[in-house]
């Protein structure tokens, strides 16, 4: 058990912030690129496009399964571990967040649902295959060393991830273009929590950032999600707490401080109230599992 959850970035692999790999009938082994790191985070996005095969992984305590023609992505910072790859063919693309268009990042980062793999039809599969192939061919050292070459690669990356965004919008948000102001506000609130949960713990702090009243924020969040604003703040705190409890040797007191609580007993009471058992019990259960 390590003192912290390993976080990998692309700097040791590529200086350009992009990794593209074609996968051919790969079966899980300790030598696989995606599956050889154990439990870890990545500081970049990961886009997995499967043409065929079956894969299973743990993402933030949930088992994610994909099979046949399907796509999936991981956000920067999500804790994950590969469990199975069975005869998988397709593409694996990793990219730094700052190389993605804001419109694409918005789709992925502001989702109000837990994202699952999405099955795709032959039309989408052909388009993604063509785009990924063009991206791989254009991504050379020579191309990346010139402004014009970089723009070509950037264009293919924008096209590939843009298609991902369209597919997920079709699957999860068919009415996205006619979203109400309330839903847009709820999305902005969720994004802010992911960035600020260690320092901002109350709805009023987020209301200030959004230039609205606490009462209005609370009303909107409950209307859109069925939960209180405070619930979502606590959820972000607790998912990070669970990561640290399961995958590090930090004490409960150290985890509380890491999450922005000066009073570790308050943190323990909060965890127990929401989860139904204390942090130490959660740690014992999940260390046996992982």
């Amino acid at each position: 058990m390590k003192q912290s959850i390993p976080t990998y970035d692309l700097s040791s692999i590529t200086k350009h912030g992009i990794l593209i790999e074609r996968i051919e009938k790969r079966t899980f082994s300790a030598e696989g690129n995606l599956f050889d790191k154990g439990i870890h985070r990545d500081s970049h996005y990961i886009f997995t496009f499967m043409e065929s095969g079956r894969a299973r992984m743990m993402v933030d305590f949930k088992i994610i399964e994909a099979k046949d023609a399907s796509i999936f992505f991981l956000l920067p910072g999500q804790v994950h571990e590969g469990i199975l790859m069975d005869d998988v063919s397709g593409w694996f693309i990793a990219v730094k967040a700052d190389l993605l268009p804001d419109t694409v990042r918005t789709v992925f980062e502001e989702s109000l649902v837990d994202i699952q793999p999405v099955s795709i039809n032959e039309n989408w599969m052909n388009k993604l295959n063509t785009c990924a192939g063009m991206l791989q061919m254009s991504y050379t050292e020579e191309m990346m060393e010139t402004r014009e070459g970089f723009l070509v690669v950037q264009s293919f990356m924008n096209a590939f991830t843009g298609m991902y965004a369209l597919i997920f919008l079709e699957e999860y948000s068919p009415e996205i273009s006619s979203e109400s102001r309330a839903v847009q506000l709820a999305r902005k609130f969720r994004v802010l929590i992911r960035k600020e949960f260690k320092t901002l713990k109350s709805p009023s702090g987020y209301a200030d950032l959004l230039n609205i009243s606490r009462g209005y924020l609370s009303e909107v969040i409950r209307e859109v999600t069925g939960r209180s604003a405070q619930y979502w703040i606590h959820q972000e705190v607790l998912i990070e707490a669970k990561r640290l409890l399961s995958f590090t040797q930090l004490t409960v007191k150290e985890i509380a401080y890491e999450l922005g609580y000066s009073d570790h007993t308050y943190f323990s009471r909060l965890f127990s109230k929401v989860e139904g058992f204390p942090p130490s019990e959660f740690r014992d259960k999940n260390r046996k599992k992982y």
Side-chain angles (χ1 to χ4, degrees), residues 228-282:
S228 69
Q230 191 67 67
Y231 168 86
W232 292 112
I233 297 169
H234 284 162
Q235 287 302 299
E236 203 65 38
V237 169
L238 291 173
I239 189 64
E240 182 65 10
K242 291 175 184 177
R243 292 164 174 165
L244 296 174
L245 286 164
S246 297
F247 309 131
T248 78
Q249 288 181 322
L250 294 173
T251 66
V252 172
K253 185 176 182 179
E254 289 170 330
I255 289 172
Y257 290 156
E258 173 72 17
L259 296 175
Y261 293 97
S262 57
D263 182 355
H264 68 277
T265 58
Y266 174 81
F267 163 73
S268 293
R269 288 198 303 270
L270 170 65
F271 191 100
S272 298
K273 179 180 178 181
V274 176
E275 296 297 324
F277 40 78
S280 56
E281 187 175 332
F282 177 87

Side-chain angles (χ1 to χ4, degrees), residues 186-203:
R187 290 181 183 278
K188 290 179 181 178
F189 172 66
R190 294 289 300 277
V191 170
L192 278 176
I193 296 173
R194 293 190 184 109
K195 294 177 180 177
E196 309 291 347
F197 71 92
K198 290 185 180 181
T199 54
L200 285 182
K201 298 292 195 295
S202 70

Side-chain angles (χ1 to χ4, degrees), residues 16-49:
H16 303 299
I18 299 173
L19 174 67
I20 309 145
E21 183 180 0
R22 173 68 191 176
I23 300 169
E24 294 287 357
K25 296 190 176 299
R26 181 175 296 175
T27 295
F28 174 78
S29 73
E31 298 171 346
N33 268 351
L34 179 59
F35 293 94
D36 66 347
K37 301 173 183 175
I39 293 166
H40 68 286
R41 309 176 196 259
D42 292 298
S43 61
H44 44 269
Y45 279 86
I46 292 176
F47 297 95
T48 303
F49 160 37

Side-chain angles (χ1 to χ4, degrees), residues 115-256:
I115 300 299
Q116 296 287 328
V118 174
S119 297
I120 57 174
N121 58 31
E122 186 175 357
N123 183 39
W124 273 122
M125 188 168 72
N126 291 337
K127 289 178 180 177
L128 286 168
N129 234 327
T130 299
C131 192
M134 295 295 289
L135 176 60
Q136 186 183 50
M137 282 192 294
S138 64
Y139 184 60
T140 64
E141 285 296 321
E142 294 77 17
M143 288 288 277
M144 296 302 288
E145 293 301 330
T146 67
R147 180 177 181 277
E148 293 75 15
F150 176 80
L151 289 175
V152 170
V153 174
Q154 182 80 70
S155 296
F156 283 126
M157 179 62 74
N158 290 353
F160 183 83
T161 57
M163 284 191 279
Y164 255 71
L166 279 174
I167 292 167
F168 276 95
L169 285 177
E170 288 179 357
E171 179 73 14
Y172 291 106
S173 304
E175 305 299 326
I176 193 74
S177 60
S178 59
E179 274 186 352
S180 67
R181 182 171 183 272
V183 173
Q184 293 171 3
L185 184 61
R187 290 181 183 278
K188 290 179 181 178
F189 172 66
R190 294 289 300 277
V191 170
L192 278 176
I193 296 173
R194 293 190 184 109
K195 294 177 180 177
E196 309 291 347
F197 71 92
K198 290 185 180 181
T199 54
L200 285 182
K201 298 292 195 295
S202 70
S204 58
Y206 293 96
D208 289 343
L209 289 177
L210 292 165
N211 295 312
I212 58 176
S213 70
R214 172 175 175 149
Y216 181 61
L217 175 66
S218 298
E219 178 184 334
V220 165
I221 299 306
R222 188 171 288 280
E223 173 192 335
V224 172
T225 70
R227 302 277 192 172
S228 69
Q230 191 67 67
Y231 168 86
W232 292 112
I233 297 169
H234 284 162
Q235 287 302 299
E236 203 65 38
V237 169
L238 291 173
I239 189 64
E240 182 65 10
K242 291 175 184 177
R243 292 164 174 165
L244 296 174
L245 286 164
S246 297
F247 309 131
T248 78
Q249 288 181 322
L250 294 173
T251 66
V252 172
K253 185 176 182 179
E254 289 170 330
I255 289 172

